[in-house]
Amino acid sequence: MEETEFLAKAKPKAKAERPKLYKVILLNDDFTPRDFVTCVLMAVFRMTESEALAVMMAAHRRGAAVVAVFTREVAETKALAGTEMGREQGYPLAFTTEREE
Ligand code: TYC
């Protein structure tokens, strides 16, 4: 290996990459009870009852609401956990994730 090549590879990156962030989005539906949605938000996203109520009502009124923003792995895990809690009770409750700009 030539010396110049070695130096190029050994050089540390000037700046740390900033991790990409992902929104977890709560989707409204006509079947999941409001208090169940509120409980899922409290359990999965560690929200207070009033925070959870506000997000649940935003999704109810507008069709969807951003719950929170995380790194990809955390966003996908939480979206799946919330969706799964609904499915266990036979509800169509759904969370999705979306890359932040
Ligand atoms: N729209 C539902 C109802 O009236 C409640 C609900 C709110 C469901 C938000 C999902 O993301 C949701 N029972």
Side-chain angles (χ1 to χ4, degrees), residues 25-35 37-38 41 55-61 63-65 92-95:
I25 298 164
L26 169 65
L27 304 178
N28 186 39
D29 68 71
D30 292 337
F31 304 101
T32 310
R34 292 183 191 193
D35 60 352
V37 179
T38 304
L41 290 170
V55 172
M56 181 278 293
M57 286 308 297
H60 178 74
R61 293 196 174 112
L93 180 65
F95 293 85

Side-chain angles (χ1 to χ4, degrees), residues 44-100:
V44 176
F45 298 93
R46 301 172 160 278
M47 289 181 162
T48 63
E49 186 172 10
S50 68
E51 288 168 344
L53 268 168
V55 172
M56 181 278 293
M57 286 308 297
H60 178 74
R61 293 196 174 112
R62 299 146 70 125
V66 175
V67 181
V69 172
F70 302 101
T71 54
R72 182 171 154 184
E73 182 101 355
V74 176
E76 286 176 353
T77 302
K78 286 183 183 285
L80 197 66
T83 300
E84 199 50 46
M85 281 177 75
R87 202 166 69 157
E88 278 166 14
Q89 303 301 317
Y91 297 132
L93 180 65
F95 293 85
T96 60
T97 61
E98 193 180 290
R99 165 96 186 270
E100 260 209 334

Side-chain angles (χ1 to χ4, degrees), residues 4-47:
T4 51
E5 195 184 338
F6 172 76
L7 288 171
K9 283 190 176 159
K11 190 179 158 197
K13 279 193 176 176
K15 284 181 186 168
E17 299 286 335
R18 141 171 96 77
K20 295 180 186 78
L21 295 176
Y22 289 72
K23 295 178 277 196
V24 176
I25 298 164
L26 169 65
L27 304 178
N28 186 39
D29 68 71
D30 292 337
F31 304 101
T32 310
R34 292 183 191 193
D35 60 352
F36 182 79
V37 179
T38 304
C39 286
V40 170
L41 290 170
M42 291 171 70
V44 176
F45 298 93
R46 301 172 160 278
M47 289 181 162

